Structure formats: structure tokens, C-alpha cells
PDB file of all heavy atoms in Angstrom:
ATOM      1  N   ALA A1322      -2.092  -6.215  -0.445  1.00 98.00           N
ATOM      2  CA  ALA A1322      -2.675  -4.977  -0.150  1.00 98.00           C
ATOM      3  C   ALA A1322      -3.398  -5.057   1.173  1.00 98.00           C
ATOM      4  O   ALA A1322      -4.084  -6.032   1.488  1.00 98.00           O
ATOM      5  CB  ALA A1322      -3.667  -4.578  -1.223  1.00 98.00           C
ATOM      6  N   PHE A1323      -3.256  -3.979   2.040  1.00 98.00           N
ATOM      7  CA  PHE A1323      -3.861  -3.968   3.313  1.00 98.00           C
ATOM      8  C   PHE A1323      -4.918  -2.836   3.419  1.00 98.00           C
ATOM      9  O   PHE A1323      -4.641  -1.740   2.894  1.00 98.00           O
ATOM     10  CB  PHE A1323      -2.837  -3.726   4.374  1.00 98.00           C
ATOM     11  CG  PHE A1323      -1.792  -4.778   4.464  1.00 98.00           C
ATOM     12  CD1 PHE A1323      -0.585  -4.612   3.735  1.00 98.00           C
ATOM     13  CD2 PHE A1323      -1.929  -5.986   5.116  1.00 98.00           C
ATOM     14  CE1 PHE A1323       0.406  -5.606   3.709  1.00 98.00           C
ATOM     15  CE2 PHE A1323      -0.966  -6.971   5.147  1.00 98.00           C
ATOM     16  CZ  PHE A1323       0.211  -6.749   4.443  1.00 98.00           C
ATOM     17  N   SER A1324      -6.046  -3.139   4.015  1.00 97.00           N
ATOM     18  CA  SER A1324      -7.148  -2.139   4.177  1.00 97.00           C
ATOM     19  C   SER A1324      -7.940  -2.439   5.339  1.00 97.00           C
ATOM     20  O   SER A1324      -7.766  -3.438   6.038  1.00 97.00           O
ATOM     21  CB  SER A1324      -8.001  -2.073   2.883  1.00 97.00           C
ATOM     22  OG  SER A1324      -8.623  -3.316   2.688  1.00 97.00           O
ATOM     23  N   GLY A1325      -8.879  -1.516   5.676  1.00 96.00           N
ATOM     24  CA  GLY A1325      -9.754  -1.716   6.796  1.00 96.00           C
ATOM     25  C   GLY A1325     -11.007  -0.925   6.762  1.00 96.00           C
ATOM     26  O   GLY A1325     -11.131   0.025   5.881  1.00 96.00           O
ATOM     27  N   GLU A1326     -11.940  -1.254   7.555  1.00 94.00           N
ATOM     28  CA  GLU A1326     -13.178  -0.507   7.629  1.00 94.00           C
ATOM     29  C   GLU A1326     -13.574  -0.309   9.056  1.00 94.00           C
ATOM     30  O   GLU A1326     -13.426  -1.238   9.961  1.00 94.00           O
ATOM     31  CB  GLU A1326     -14.316  -1.244   6.890  1.00 94.00           C
ATOM     32  CG  GLU A1326     -14.159  -1.294   5.405  1.00 94.00           C
ATOM     33  CD  GLU A1326     -15.326  -2.062   4.729  1.00 94.00           C
ATOM     34  OE1 GLU A1326     -16.187  -2.513   5.469  1.00 94.00           O
ATOM     35  OE2 GLU A1326     -15.304  -2.159   3.496  1.00 94.00           O
ATOM     36  N   LEU A1327     -14.154   0.845   9.385  1.00 91.00           N
ATOM     37  CA  LEU A1327     -14.805   1.100  10.680  1.00 91.00           C
ATOM     38  C   LEU A1327     -16.128   1.699  10.362  1.00 91.00           C
ATOM     39  O   LEU A1327     -16.239   2.952  10.031  1.00 91.00           O
ATOM     40  CB  LEU A1327     -13.955   2.050  11.528  1.00 91.00           C
ATOM     41  CG  LEU A1327     -14.342   2.071  13.023  1.00 91.00           C
ATOM     42  CD1 LEU A1327     -13.143   2.579  13.888  1.00 91.00           C
ATOM     43  CD2 LEU A1327     -15.569   3.006  13.245  1.00 91.00           C
ATOM     44  N   GLY A1328     -17.164   0.937  10.420  1.00 87.00           N
ATOM     45  CA  GLY A1328     -18.474   1.377   9.963  1.00 87.00           C
ATOM     46  C   GLY A1328     -18.457   1.732   8.444  1.00 87.00           C
ATOM     47  O   GLY A1328     -18.135   0.899   7.605  1.00 87.00           O
ATOM     48  N   ALA A1329     -18.743   2.968   8.148  1.00 88.00           N
ATOM     49  CA  ALA A1329     -18.780   3.445   6.815  1.00 88.00           C
ATOM     50  C   ALA A1329     -17.417   4.011   6.315  1.00 88.00           C
ATOM     51  O   ALA A1329     -17.272   4.421   5.175  1.00 88.00           O
ATOM     52  CB  ALA A1329     -19.873   4.513   6.626  1.00 88.00           C
ATOM     53  N   VAL A1330     -16.469   4.061   7.255  1.00 91.00           N
ATOM     54  CA  VAL A1330     -15.104   4.603   6.905  1.00 91.00           C
ATOM     55  C   VAL A1330     -14.247   3.480   6.358  1.00 91.00           C
ATOM     56  O   VAL A1330     -13.995   2.522   7.098  1.00 91.00           O
ATOM     57  CB  VAL A1330     -14.424   5.288   8.181  1.00 91.00           C
ATOM     58  CG1 VAL A1330     -13.097   5.773   7.764  1.00 91.00           C
ATOM     59  CG2 VAL A1330     -15.348   6.415   8.652  1.00 91.00           C
ATOM     60  N   SER A1331     -13.716   3.737   5.217  1.00 94.00           N
ATOM     61  CA  SER A1331     -12.791   2.792   4.576  1.00 94.00           C
ATOM     62  C   SER A1331     -11.364   3.386   4.599  1.00 94.00           C
ATOM     63  O   SER A1331     -11.181   4.515   4.381  1.00 94.00           O
ATOM     64  CB  SER A1331     -13.191   2.476   3.117  1.00 94.00           C
ATOM     65  OG  SER A1331     -14.462   1.880   3.027  1.00 94.00           O
ATOM     66  N   VAL A1332     -10.417   2.510   4.919  1.00 95.00           N
ATOM     67  CA  VAL A1332      -9.029   2.942   5.016  1.00 95.00           C
ATOM     68  C   VAL A1332      -8.130   2.078   4.113  1.00 95.00           C
ATOM     69  O   VAL A1332      -8.226   0.853   4.191  1.00 95.00           O
ATOM     70  CB  VAL A1332      -8.542   2.822   6.505  1.00 95.00           C
ATOM     71  CG1 VAL A1332      -7.120   3.406   6.686  1.00 95.00           C
ATOM     72  CG2 VAL A1332      -9.525   3.464   7.421  1.00 95.00           C
ATOM     73  N   ASP A1333      -7.270   2.733   3.326  1.00 96.00           N
ATOM     74  CA  ASP A1333      -6.276   2.044   2.524  1.00 96.00           C
ATOM     75  C   ASP A1333      -4.927   2.203   3.274  1.00 96.00           C
ATOM     76  O   ASP A1333      -4.432   3.324   3.394  1.00 96.00           O
ATOM     77  CB  ASP A1333      -6.223   2.625   1.122  1.00 96.00           C
ATOM     78  CG  ASP A1333      -5.074   2.097   0.290  1.00 96.00           C
ATOM     79  OD1 ASP A1333      -4.590   1.002   0.629  1.00 96.00           O
ATOM     80  OD2 ASP A1333      -4.751   2.728  -0.750  1.00 96.00           O
ATOM     81  N   PHE A1334      -4.370   1.075   3.654  1.00 97.00           N
ATOM     82  CA  PHE A1334      -3.071   1.166   4.353  1.00 97.00           C
ATOM     83  C   PHE A1334      -1.853   0.998   3.415  1.00 97.00           C
ATOM     84  O   PHE A1334      -0.715   1.123   3.839  1.00 97.00           O
ATOM     85  CB  PHE A1334      -2.995   0.076   5.395  1.00 97.00           C
ATOM     86  CG  PHE A1334      -3.965   0.287   6.568  1.00 97.00           C
ATOM     87  CD1 PHE A1334      -5.035  -0.568   6.754  1.00 97.00           C
ATOM     88  CD2 PHE A1334      -3.804   1.351   7.434  1.00 97.00           C
ATOM     89  CE1 PHE A1334      -5.901  -0.421   7.746  1.00 97.00           C
ATOM     90  CE2 PHE A1334      -4.745   1.503   8.489  1.00 97.00           C
ATOM     91  CZ  PHE A1334      -5.749   0.661   8.628  1.00 97.00           C
ATOM     92  N   GLY A1335      -2.157   0.701   2.152  1.00 97.00           N
ATOM     93  CA  GLY A1335      -1.034   0.556   1.182  1.00 97.00           C
ATOM     94  C   GLY A1335      -0.851  -0.851   0.645  1.00 97.00           C
ATOM     95  O   GLY A1335      -1.530  -1.823   1.077  1.00 97.00           O
ATOM     96  N   SER A1336       0.076  -0.975  -0.298  1.00 98.00           N
ATOM     97  CA  SER A1336       0.303  -2.222  -0.985  1.00 98.00           C
ATOM     98  C   SER A1336       1.837  -2.473  -1.087  1.00 98.00           C
ATOM     99  O   SER A1336       2.615  -1.538  -1.195  1.00 98.00           O
ATOM    100  CB  SER A1336      -0.307  -2.249  -2.401  1.00 98.00           C
ATOM    101  OG  SER A1336      -1.735  -2.053  -2.318  1.00 98.00           O
ATOM    102  N   ILE A1337       2.194  -3.811  -1.046  1.00 98.00           N
ATOM    103  CA  ILE A1337       3.537  -4.203  -1.257  1.00 98.00           C
ATOM    104  C   ILE A1337       3.575  -5.152  -2.441  1.00 98.00           C
ATOM    105  O   ILE A1337       2.829  -6.121  -2.467  1.00 98.00           O
ATOM    106  CB  ILE A1337       4.099  -4.885   0.038  1.00 98.00           C
ATOM    107  CG1 ILE A1337       4.027  -3.943   1.246  1.00 98.00           C
ATOM    108  CG2 ILE A1337       5.519  -5.372  -0.199  1.00 98.00           C
ATOM    109  CD1 ILE A1337       4.422  -4.635   2.510  1.00 98.00           C
ATOM    110  N   PHE A1338       4.504  -4.864  -3.388  1.00 98.00           N
ATOM    111  CA  PHE A1338       4.674  -5.699  -4.538  1.00 98.00           C
ATOM    112  C   PHE A1338       6.076  -6.344  -4.464  1.00 98.00           C
ATOM    113  O   PHE A1338       7.041  -5.648  -4.059  1.00 98.00           O
ATOM    114  CB  PHE A1338       4.567  -4.908  -5.826  1.00 98.00           C
ATOM    115  CG  PHE A1338       3.230  -4.261  -5.961  1.00 98.00           C
ATOM    116  CD1 PHE A1338       2.986  -2.965  -5.416  1.00 98.00           C
ATOM    117  CD2 PHE A1338       2.200  -4.842  -6.691  1.00 98.00           C
ATOM    118  CE1 PHE A1338       1.736  -2.369  -5.506  1.00 98.00           C
ATOM    119  CE2 PHE A1338       0.974  -4.166  -6.839  1.00 98.00           C
ATOM    120  CZ  PHE A1338       0.703  -2.951  -6.247  1.00 98.00           C
ATOM    121  N   ALA A1339       6.196  -7.556  -4.843  1.00 97.00           N
ATOM    122  CA  ALA A1339       7.484  -8.220  -4.754  1.00 97.00           C
ATOM    123  C   ALA A1339       7.717  -9.135  -5.983  1.00 97.00           C
ATOM    124  O   ALA A1339       6.812  -9.737  -6.511  1.00 97.00           O
ATOM    125  CB  ALA A1339       7.563  -9.088  -3.494  1.00 97.00           C
ATOM    126  N   THR A1340       8.996  -9.137  -6.390  1.00 97.00           N
ATOM    127  CA  THR A1340       9.520 -10.121  -7.367  1.00 97.00           C
ATOM    128  C   THR A1340      10.717 -10.743  -6.750  1.00 97.00           C
ATOM    129  O   THR A1340      11.089 -10.471  -5.588  1.00 97.00           O
ATOM    130  CB  THR A1340       9.861  -9.459  -8.707  1.00 97.00           C
ATOM    131  OG1 THR A1340      10.963  -8.657  -8.555  1.00 97.00           O
ATOM    132  CG2 THR A1340       8.703  -8.622  -9.209  1.00 97.00           C
ATOM    133  N   THR A1341      11.440 -11.568  -7.461  1.00 95.00           N
ATOM    134  CA  THR A1341      12.676 -12.160  -6.905  1.00 95.00           C
ATOM    135  C   THR A1341      13.797 -11.120  -6.855  1.00 95.00           C
ATOM    136  O   THR A1341      14.787 -11.314  -6.235  1.00 95.00           O
ATOM    137  CB  THR A1341      13.155 -13.337  -7.829  1.00 95.00           C
ATOM    138  OG1 THR A1341      13.305 -12.843  -9.175  1.00 95.00           O
ATOM    139  CG2 THR A1341      12.114 -14.478  -7.815  1.00 95.00           C
ATOM    140  N   GLU A1342      13.583  -9.973  -7.524  1.00 96.00           N
ATOM    141  CA  GLU A1342      14.665  -8.959  -7.572  1.00 96.00           C
ATOM    142  C   GLU A1342      14.390  -7.713  -6.780  1.00 96.00           C
ATOM    143  O   GLU A1342      15.307  -6.983  -6.396  1.00 96.00           O
ATOM    144  CB  GLU A1342      14.881  -8.541  -9.067  1.00 96.00           C
ATOM    145  CG  GLU A1342      15.322  -9.722  -9.953  1.00 96.00           C
ATOM    146  CD  GLU A1342      15.500  -9.286 -11.380  1.00 96.00           C
ATOM    147  OE1 GLU A1342      14.987  -8.229 -11.771  1.00 96.00           O
ATOM    148  OE2 GLU A1342      16.092 -10.100 -12.141  1.00 96.00           O
ATOM    149  N   LYS A1343      13.099  -7.345  -6.516  1.00 97.00           N
ATOM    150  CA  LYS A1343      12.799  -6.095  -5.914  1.00 97.00           C
ATOM    151  C   LYS A1343      11.515  -6.050  -5.058  1.00 97.00           C
ATOM    152  O   LYS A1343      10.659  -6.953  -5.279  1.00 97.00           O
ATOM    153  CB  LYS A1343      12.720  -4.988  -6.954  1.00 97.00           C
ATOM    154  CG  LYS A1343      11.544  -5.196  -7.903  1.00 97.00           C
ATOM    155  CD  LYS A1343      11.563  -4.129  -9.061  1.00 97.00           C
ATOM    156  CE  LYS A1343      10.384  -4.418 -10.031  1.00 97.00           C
ATOM    157  NZ  LYS A1343      10.321  -3.381 -11.029  1.00 97.00           N
ATOM    158  N   LEU A1344      11.427  -5.058  -4.213  1.00 97.00           N
ATOM    159  CA  LEU A1344      10.185  -4.765  -3.478  1.00 97.00           C
ATOM    160  C   LEU A1344       9.774  -3.397  -3.919  1.00 97.00           C
ATOM    161  O   LEU A1344      10.590  -2.463  -4.073  1.00 97.00           O
ATOM    162  CB  LEU A1344      10.436  -4.734  -1.949  1.00 97.00           C
ATOM    163  CG  LEU A1344      10.489  -6.049  -1.178  1.00 97.00           C
ATOM    164  CD1 LEU A1344      10.906  -5.730   0.295  1.00 97.00           C
ATOM    165  CD2 LEU A1344       9.242  -6.806  -1.213  1.00 97.00           C
ATOM    166  N   VAL A1345       8.467  -3.211  -4.136  1.00 98.00           N
ATOM    167  CA  VAL A1345       7.888  -1.887  -4.530  1.00 98.00           C
ATOM    168  C   VAL A1345       6.733  -1.676  -3.532  1.00 98.00           C
ATOM    169  O   VAL A1345       5.874  -2.474  -3.436  1.00 98.00           O
ATOM    170  CB  VAL A1345       7.444  -1.776  -5.951  1.00 98.00           C
ATOM    171  CG1 VAL A1345       6.829  -0.441  -6.242  1.00 98.00           C
ATOM    172  CG2 VAL A1345       8.584  -2.097  -6.880  1.00 98.00           C
ATOM    173  N   VAL A1346       6.711  -0.461  -2.887  1.00 98.00           N
ATOM    174  CA  VAL A1346       5.704  -0.195  -1.942  1.00 98.00           C
ATOM    175  C   VAL A1346       4.943   1.068  -2.383  1.00 98.00           C
ATOM    176  O   VAL A1346       5.472   2.093  -2.745  1.00 98.00           O
ATOM    177  CB  VAL A1346       6.308   0.129  -0.533  1.00 98.00           C
ATOM    178  CG1 VAL A1346       5.256   0.481   0.494  1.00 98.00           C
ATOM    179  CG2 VAL A1346       7.177  -1.056  -0.058  1.00 98.00           C
ATOM    180  N   ALA A1347       3.601   0.910  -2.366  1.00 97.00           N
ATOM    181  CA  ALA A1347       2.679   2.045  -2.688  1.00 97.00           C
ATOM    182  C   ALA A1347       1.894   2.416  -1.399  1.00 97.00           C
ATOM    183  O   ALA A1347       1.217   1.568  -0.854  1.00 97.00           O
ATOM    184  CB  ALA A1347       1.716   1.641  -3.784  1.00 97.00           C
ATOM    185  N   LEU A1348       2.109   3.668  -0.961  1.00 97.00           N
ATOM    186  CA  LEU A1348       1.476   4.127   0.276  1.00 97.00           C
ATOM    187  C   LEU A1348       0.407   5.178  -0.044  1.00 97.00           C
ATOM    188  O   LEU A1348       0.571   5.942  -0.973  1.00 97.00           O
ATOM    189  CB  LEU A1348       2.538   4.733   1.210  1.00 97.00           C
ATOM    190  CG  LEU A1348       3.608   3.710   1.691  1.00 97.00           C
ATOM    191  CD1 LEU A1348       4.736   4.415   2.408  1.00 97.00           C
ATOM    192  CD2 LEU A1348       2.984   2.660   2.539  1.00 97.00           C
ATOM    193  N   PRO A1349      -0.708   5.208   0.716  1.00 96.00           N
ATOM    194  CA  PRO A1349      -1.838   6.102   0.396  1.00 96.00           C
ATOM    195  C   PRO A1349      -1.472   7.561   0.573  1.00 96.00           C
ATOM    196  O   PRO A1349      -2.172   8.425  -0.013  1.00 96.00           O
ATOM    197  CB  PRO A1349      -2.895   5.621   1.421  1.00 96.00           C
ATOM    198  CG  PRO A1349      -2.135   5.043   2.548  1.00 96.00           C
ATOM    199  CD  PRO A1349      -1.012   4.360   1.952  1.00 96.00           C
ATOM    200  N   PHE A1350      -0.459   7.896   1.302  1.00 95.00           N
ATOM    201  CA  PHE A1350      -0.095   9.300   1.564  1.00 95.00           C
ATOM    202  C   PHE A1350       1.092   9.763   0.681  1.00 95.00           C
ATOM    203  O   PHE A1350       1.545  10.928   0.846  1.00 95.00           O
ATOM    204  CB  PHE A1350       0.245   9.529   3.040  1.00 95.00           C
ATOM    205  CG  PHE A1350       1.122   8.497   3.657  1.00 95.00           C
ATOM    206  CD1 PHE A1350       2.501   8.541   3.423  1.00 95.00           C
ATOM    207  CD2 PHE A1350       0.543   7.435   4.356  1.00 95.00           C
ATOM    208  CE1 PHE A1350       3.291   7.556   3.969  1.00 95.00           C
ATOM    209  CE2 PHE A1350       1.380   6.465   4.973  1.00 95.00           C
ATOM    210  CZ  PHE A1350       2.756   6.505   4.737  1.00 95.00           C
ATOM    211  N   LEU A1351       1.635   8.888  -0.215  1.00 96.00           N
ATOM    212  CA  LEU A1351       2.693   9.305  -1.041  1.00 96.00           C
ATOM    213  C   LEU A1351       2.308   9.115  -2.538  1.00 96.00           C
ATOM    214  O   LEU A1351       1.704   8.067  -2.887  1.00 96.00           O
ATOM    215  CB  LEU A1351       3.992   8.472  -0.752  1.00 96.00           C
ATOM    216  CG  LEU A1351       4.718   8.827   0.464  1.00 96.00           C
ATOM    217  CD1 LEU A1351       5.953   7.890   0.582  1.00 96.00           C
ATOM    218  CD2 LEU A1351       5.207  10.234   0.496  1.00 96.00           C
ATOM    219  N   ASN A1352       2.660  10.104  -3.301  1.00 94.00           N
ATOM    220  CA  ASN A1352       2.427   9.932  -4.787  1.00 94.00           C
ATOM    221  C   ASN A1352       3.529   9.057  -5.441  1.00 94.00           C
ATOM    222  O   ASN A1352       3.261   8.361  -6.430  1.00 94.00           O
ATOM    223  CB  ASN A1352       2.436  11.288  -5.459  1.00 94.00           C
ATOM    224  CG  ASN A1352       1.241  12.162  -5.061  1.00 94.00           C
ATOM    225  OD1 ASN A1352       0.162  11.612  -4.836  1.00 94.00           O
ATOM    226  ND2 ASN A1352       1.441  13.432  -4.910  1.00 94.00           N
ATOM    227  N   GLU A1353       4.739   9.045  -4.844  1.00 95.00           N
ATOM    228  CA  GLU A1353       5.850   8.286  -5.351  1.00 95.00           C
ATOM    229  C   GLU A1353       5.778   6.873  -4.899  1.00 95.00           C
ATOM    230  O   GLU A1353       5.273   6.524  -3.740  1.00 95.00           O
ATOM    231  CB  GLU A1353       7.161   8.912  -4.957  1.00 95.00           C
ATOM    232  CG  GLU A1353       7.288  10.355  -5.306  1.00 95.00           C
ATOM    233  CD  GLU A1353       6.897  11.254  -4.094  1.00 95.00           C
ATOM    234  OE1 GLU A1353       6.174  10.743  -3.258  1.00 95.00           O
ATOM    235  OE2 GLU A1353       7.322  12.383  -4.055  1.00 95.00           O
ATOM    236  N   LEU A1354       6.232   5.962  -5.723  1.00 97.00           N
ATOM    237  CA  LEU A1354       6.430   4.591  -5.276  1.00 97.00           C
ATOM    238  C   LEU A1354       7.830   4.503  -4.577  1.00 97.00           C
ATOM    239  O   LEU A1354       8.738   5.227  -4.912  1.00 97.00           O
ATOM    240  CB  LEU A1354       6.414   3.619  -6.468  1.00 97.00           C
ATOM    241  CG  LEU A1354       5.164   3.501  -7.259  1.00 97.00           C
ATOM    242  CD1 LEU A1354       5.350   2.702  -8.571  1.00 97.00           C
ATOM    243  CD2 LEU A1354       4.115   2.795  -6.389  1.00 97.00           C
TER     244      LEU A1354
END
């Protein structure tokens, strides 16, 4: 998972999940995986 902060502002850049068979990406601006 990637994130950041600028002062009091917190930012979620999203997460990447992996297994030996697949990648799954969760992005902060999309409801769908």
C-alpha cells in the first residue's frame, strides 16, 4: 500500500495485492477492484 502526507493532508495512492496467480489493484478513486 502506498500513501503520503503533506502537513495535515493525508493521501491514499492505492494498494496492490499479489498471489502466484493474480494481481488485484485497489485505487482510491475507483469503487471496483
